[in-house]
């Protein structure tokens, strides 16, 4: 399996690490859309939100526990946005579940 984010998690492709624990890894997006743009991924390959189930949801809850810690460490005291693009209509480009954390400025109200 050829997965960019699995290679990043393994360290085979370099990334700017922001946070890591047993179940998740967070790093800076290579093409930031806001002053803070962090991606948080599970340390197992889950292709998208569509693949979340009772077997792997502990990885997703670990991500959601990590997000406020990451936001605090990034100084996002005035709020932020969390996004997961899924599938074709969601414009998901990397087929490994990831959550974007965007912040550091007032974000546009329109989400699609
Ligand atoms: P998606 O469009 O799938 O929701 O988001 C994929 C994100 O991964 C994009 O925001 C893109 O900039 C980011 N990305 C793609 N390739 C790399 C990479 O090699 N390194 C990092 N750090 N981010 C990447
Ligand atoms: Zn993967």
């Amino acid at each position: 399996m050829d997965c960019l984010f699995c290679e990043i998690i393994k360290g085979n492709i370099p990334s700017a690490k922001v946070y890591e624990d047993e179940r998740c890894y967070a790093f800076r997006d290579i093409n930031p859309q806001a002053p803070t743009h962090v991606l948080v991924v599970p340390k197992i390959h889950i292709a998208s939100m569509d693949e979340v189930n009772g077997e792997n949801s502990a990885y997703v809850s670990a991500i959601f526990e990590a997000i406020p810690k990451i936001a605090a460490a990034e100084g996002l005291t005035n709020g932020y946005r969390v996004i997961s693009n899924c599938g074709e209509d969601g414009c998901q480009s990397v087929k490994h579940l990831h959550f974007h954390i965007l912040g550091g400025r007032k974000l546009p109200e329109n989400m699609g």
Side-chain angles (χ1 to χ4, degrees), residues 65-102:
E65 287 179 43
I67 285 171
K69 296 181 201 170
I70 295 165
E74 292 291 316
L76 303 180
T77 53
N78 207 37
Y80 53 91
R81 182 171 291 162
V82 178
I83 296 172
S84 186
N85 297 322
C86 179
E88 195 61 27
D89 282 359
C91 292
Q92 180 183 6
S93 63
V94 179
K95 310 305 189 218
H96 181 125
L97 178 66
H98 53 281
F99 294 85
H100 300 254
I101 304 174
L102 295 153

Side-chain angles (χ1 to χ4, degrees), residues 22-81:
E22 266 179 32
R23 288 189 163 125
C24 66
Y25 183 73
F27 55 103
R28 298 200 188 280
D29 196 293
I30 206 167
N31 181 24
Q33 305 295 309
T36 292
H37 188 168
V38 171
L39 300 173
V40 197
V41 302
K43 282 188 171 175
I44 56 166
H45 183 82
I46 302 172
S48 79
M49 202 67 211
D50 260 352
E51 305 295 322
V52 175
N53 56 44
E55 302 286 300
N56 60 28
S57 60
Y59 285 84
V60 180
S61 61
I63 288 172
F64 277 81
E65 287 179 43
I67 285 171
K69 296 181 201 170
I70 295 165
E74 292 291 316
L76 303 180
T77 53
N78 207 37
Y80 53 91
R81 182 171 291 162

Side-chain angles (χ1 to χ4, degrees), residues 1 3-7 9 44-46 95-96:
M1 184 173 46
C3 173
L4 174 64
F5 289 171
C6 281
E7 293 306 307
I9 292 160
I44 56 166
H45 183 82
I46 302 172
K95 310 305 189 218
H96 181 125

